[in-house]
Amino acid sequence: MNHPRRLDERARMTVRLTLLCAAARTERDVRFADAPLDERALHRVRALAGAFPRAATHCTAPSRRCTETARTLGWEPVTPQPALRDLDMGSWYGRTLDEVAAADAAGLAGWLADPQAVPHGGESVAQLCDRVAAWLDALPSDAGRVLAVVEQAVARAAVLHALGAPPQAFWRIDVPPLSTVELTGRAGRWNLRMAELPLSPRPPR
């Protein structure tokens, strides 16, 4: 039988979660795809080494760019989390936004306007938001501080869940590469917390 005092202590436990958006290649044409980081992106990641507080748990999305970001930061051991994977872009995978617009303008417009739309046959924005929300709410109350390298789409979904915002607001959230999202969770509720200092360095000139 659980003691009432112990239950009360667990309810007061706070999960401190930092989501770091993965570094990105510095190429001009951005594709719906995963790719290894180039040297300029790795240089920006190395500049962040030591900028994060100590954590009990280090996680990463399973993509190459996320795992390379985590390893370059020296986060060891780091645990891949399938629930933090990027949005499944289906038949659009590997294409640029301009290529998709040229081939399926109506589908692209519908996808950007409707979180339930799946013109590419992959995963909808609403499905992504549900997946990320489930991962957040499954974190144990005694997890302490958790650091995770995630995709931009996952960071957007996490902010929506913390604020209780509808998936229609997904595209209203800008998440640049190597930016951070600070969340605190307690008793089943998440709060968005502004970072005290910017963690991401300015790109080299």
Side-chain angles (χ1 to χ4, degrees), residues 14 20 29 64 76 88 96 112 115 129 135 144 155 171 175-176 188 199:
T14 299
L20 171 66
D29 294 329
R64 187 167 182 178
E76 294 291 348
D88 180 358
T96 67
L112 292 173
C129 291
W135 182 83
W171 298 113
V175 188
L199 295 178

Side-chain angles (χ1 to χ4, degrees), residues 170-183:
F170 183 83
W171 298 113
R172 304 294 298 274
I173 302 170
D174 292 330
V175 188
L178 295 181
S179 60
T180 58
V181 173
E182 302 281 339
L183 299 176

Side-chain angles (χ1 to χ4, degrees), residues 93-123:
Y93 184 83
R95 300 183 183 182
T96 67
L97 190 63
D98 288 343
E99 290 171 345
V100 172
D104 187 8
L108 179 61
W111 179 65
L112 292 173
D114 181 5
Q116 303 288 346
V118 283
H120 44 61
E123 183 180 28

Side-chain angles (χ1 to χ4, degrees), residues 86-175:
D86 202 4
L87 187 66
D88 180 358
M89 297 307 296
S91 62
W92 292 355
Y93 184 83
R95 300 183 183 182
T96 67
L97 190 63
D98 288 343
E99 290 171 345
V100 172
D104 187 8
L108 179 61
W111 179 65
L112 292 173
D114 181 5
Q116 303 288 346
V118 283
H120 44 61
E123 183 180 28
S124 71
V125 167
Q127 288 173 321
L128 166 76
C129 291
D130 289 343
R131 165 162 55 86
V132 174
W135 182 83
L136 288 170
D137 292 343
L139 287 172
S141 60
D142 59 353
R145 185 174 292 279
V146 179
L147 302 179
V149 180
V150 299
E151 310 286 352
Q152 289 175 303
V154 169
R156 287 188 178 109
V159 171
L160 292 182
H161 183 57
L163 298 180
Q168 286 80 4
F170 183 83
W171 298 113
R172 304 294 298 274
I173 302 170
D174 292 330
V175 188

Side-chain angles (χ1 to χ4, degrees), residues 11-91:
R12 291 198 301 269
M13 289 181 180
T14 299
V15 179
R16 302 185 185 279
L17 173 64
T18 298
L19 302 176
L20 171 66
C21 186
R25 293 176 62 88
T26 50
E27 58 193 10
R28 184 169 298 177
D29 294 329
V30 179
R31 297 180 178 273
F32 294 124
D34 186 24
L37 300 179
D38 56 22
E39 186 54 39
R40 189 176 183 186
L42 289 170
H43 175 78
R44 294 191 66 196
V45 177
R46 293 187 193 106
L48 284 176
F52 294 89
R54 296 181 63 182
T57 304
H58 296 90
C59 302
T60 181
S63 68
R64 187 167 182 178
R65 59 176 162 257
C66 285
T67 55
E68 285 189 359
T69 298
R71 289 170 181 167
T72 303
L73 286 170
W75 292 3
E76 294 291 348
V78 63
T79 305
Q81 295 286 332
L84 300 181
R85 65 189 182 277
D86 202 4
L87 187 66
D88 180 358
M89 297 307 296
S91 62

